């Protein structure tokens, strides 16, 4: 049984919403936006109904490339730590420009904030917050190099809600302000072109 979203029986949906353990042996549900599947009794945030897919067993969910939830361990399965962190990293890379907190990440990845923070740092060598900042700065650098967009717009586009914070963090990590970086980048580019033309 692999039901499409419109086919979710009302009692199954009610079981998901109410985390009803009585249904744990009847079905599992996957959430398309996170790629994770859970038991009905899972205490994670209730997903949007249109993103839910019902599975009769874990094998069916695994065949559809869903991964077992770290929190409720459907059918005793546990996602290896490295895979779990990789999944979260991929999710961050798709959503880095949105407001992200440790709690948001723990919510979407079905783990506790403490557990996530500890394992993420162990696998990646950075905390989730540091990783997000680094990713946002890399995206900002690319935009500074390739566009004429104002610094404020670039900061917002990559997920920094505060321009002063963006400028301060950028300078701390690169030694330049964003506009100083852009200027230096274009001067270097010009110098390289001139040297190339002389050859």
């Amino acid at each position: 049984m692999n039901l499409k979203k419109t086919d979710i029986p009302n009692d199954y949906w009610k079981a998901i919403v109410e985390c009803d353990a009585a249904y744990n042996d009847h079905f599992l549900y996957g959430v398309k936006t996170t790629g994770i599947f859970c038991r009905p009794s899972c205490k994670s945030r209730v997903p949007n109904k249109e993103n839910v897919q019902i599975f009769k067993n874990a094998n069916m969910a695994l065949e559809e490339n869903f991964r077992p939830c770290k929190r409720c361990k459907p059918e005793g399965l546990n996602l290896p730590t490295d895979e779990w962190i990789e999944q979260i990293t991929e999710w961050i890379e798709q959503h880095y420009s949105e407001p992200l907190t440790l709690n948001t990440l723990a919510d979407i990845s079905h783990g506790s904030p403490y557990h996530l923070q500890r394992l993420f740092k162990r696998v990646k060598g950075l905390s989730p917050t540091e990783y997000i900042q680094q990713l946002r700065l890399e995206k900002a650098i690319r935009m500074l190099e390739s566009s004429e967009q104002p610094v404020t717009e670039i900061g917002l586009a990559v997920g920094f809600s505060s321009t002063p914070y963006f400028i301060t963090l950028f300078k701390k990590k690169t030694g330049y302000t964003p506009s100083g970086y852009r200027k230096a980048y274009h001067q270097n580019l010009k110098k390289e072109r001139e040297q190339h033309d002389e050859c």
Side-chain angles (χ1 to χ4, degrees):
M1 176 179 57
N2 185 347
L3 301 173
K4 294 290 171 245
K5 60 188 177 199
T6 48
D7 304 335
I8 299 173
N10 287 338
D11 58 333
Y12 280 22
W13 179 244
K14 188 169 182 272
I16 293 169
V17 171
E18 294 174 0
C19 306
D20 189 346
Y23 280 81
N24 279 352
D25 295 332
H26 296 277
F27 73 95
L28 297 168
Y29 72 94
V31 183
K32 291 174 200 160
T33 47
T34 61
I36 293 171
F37 70 95
C38 301
R39 301 168 188 258
S41 63
C42 189
K43 295 284 188 266
S44 58
R45 191 173 48 173
V46 176
N48 290 331
K49 193 173 185 178
E50 64 270 15
N51 295 328
V52 170
Q53 200 167 332
I54 301 294
F55 298 103
K56 187 72 186 150
N57 57 46
N59 285 340
M60 291 175 79
L62 292 166
E63 276 170 24
E64 296 259 347
N65 292 322
F66 283 84
R67 296 278 165 262
C69 172
K70 202 84 170 152
R71 188 178 284 172
C72 70
K73 301 178 180 66
E75 295 188 17
L77 295 170
N78 199 355
L79 186 62
T81 295
D82 287 7
E83 262 187 66
W84 187 53
I85 297 303
E86 208 41 57
Q87 214 175 0
I88 295 164
T89 305
E90 282 171 22
W91 194 89
I92 290 171
E93 282 165 8
Q94 291 166 1
H95 300 269
Y96 67 88
S97 60
E98 298 168 17
L100 296 179
T101 64
L102 189 59
N103 285 337
T104 309
L105 294 176
D107 236 12
I108 64 103
S109 62
H110 299 198
S112 77
Y114 168 76
H115 194 58
L116 168 59
Q117 172 92 358
R118 198 169 50 85
L119 294 182
F120 196 98
K121 191 150 192 171
R122 194 177 83 201
V123 173
K124 290 287 179 189
L126 297 167
S127 71
T129 304
E130 289 166 338
Y131 183 82
I132 292 164
Q133 285 177 346
Q134 182 181 299
L135 185 62
R136 286 173 174 170
L137 289 173
E138 284 167 13
K139 303 285 184 187
I141 285 170
R142 272 189 226 130
M143 289 175 82
L144 287 163
E145 291 172 355
S146 64
S147 80
E148 292 302 318
Q149 265 184 288
V151 167
T152 308
E153 280 180 25
I154 289 175
L156 289 171
V158 298
F160 290 106
S161 54
S162 154
T163 304
Y165 176 70
F166 167 50
I167 293 168
T168 305
L169 187 67
F170 194 96
K171 187 165 185 182
K172 185 179 167 194
K173 299 288 183 188
T174 67
Y176 291 96
T177 62
S179 49
Y181 176 86
R182 178 185 267 160
K183 196 174 169 188
Y185 172 79
H186 287 297
Q187 280 171 345
N188 284 341
L189 218 54
K190 193 177 167 193
K191 210 178 285 175
E192 279 171 22
R193 277 198 204 106
E194 285 165 1
Q195 284 168 350
H196 184 266
D197 292 344
E198 283 168 12
C199 290

